[in-house]
Amino acid sequence: MRQPGRVRLAADARTGKAALHRRWPSKAELVVDTLDHALPAREDAPDTGNVRDDLVEHMRQKAEVLNSSVGRAVQSLLAEIDRDRPLARLVQERVFQPRENVFQLILERGVQCGEVRSGRLSPPVAELGLAMLVQRFLSDSAPVPDDYLVSVVDELIMPIVRR
């Protein structure tokens, strides 16, 4: 017989259900903390000394998470967020906002070292890589392939920021 979610989670964690309730008073809190732990933090932004390589590596970090079991959980969570506004707000505040603008951070470093023209930076340019990754992730059930990530950086982002 299959155990309910928190009972199974407690068994997997080798703890009691009460301990889970003390730490995470709601399923939403548990899901948000799990996502927060699984996704790369802003401080983990790659810094290889080369903007193109940093962008590719950042896309790979994001794709690795999306291509994992966490990514499948994110797909389910996105469906739930449409129905649950408090959950959407919690995910936005605790997961997405702290990680915003990593592309912007990488591109700004590129401006400082002369690899990127400052006049080419804008919110849509900084959002392009992640938008393409998420679009591919949501529209295709297969893992996002590495060659796709590289092509987004090489064929879209770099030509825009170097013009």
Side-chain angles (χ1 to χ4, degrees), residues 15-99:
T15 190
K17 188 175 166 186
L20 293 178
H21 279 286
R22 281 192 302 274
R23 174 68 179 92
W24 296 285
S26 70
K27 286 181 186 179
E29 292 282 340
L30 174 61
V31 168
V32 167
D33 277 358
T34 301
L35 281 174
D36 187 43
H37 177 75
L39 294 172
R42 181 177 167 94
E43 302 81 47
D44 298 332
D47 189 2
T48 65
N50 176 291
V51 172
R52 183 238 177 235
D53 293 345
D54 289 350
L55 291 171
V56 169
E57 182 56 31
H58 182 61
M59 294 277 284
R60 285 178 174 149
Q61 287 175 343
K62 298 278 189 188
E64 182 179 346
V65 173
L66 293 177
N67 289 337
S68 71
S69 58
V70 173
R72 289 186 291 283
V74 168
Q75 282 179 320
S76 298
L77 179 64
L78 291 174
E80 189 63 30
I81 282 176
D82 278 346
R83 294 187 292 272
D84 188 344
R85 286 289 156 216
L87 177 59
R89 207 171 13 265
L90 192 61
V91 169
Q92 181 63 29
E93 289 171 4
R94 296 220 339 244
V95 178
F96 296 141
Q97 282 179 351
R99 290 169 175 80

Side-chain angles (χ1 to χ4, degrees), residues 6-19:
R6 283 197 186 217
V7 172
R8 197 169 97 224
L9 180 63
D12 288 349
R14 299 174 194 248
T15 190
K17 188 175 166 186

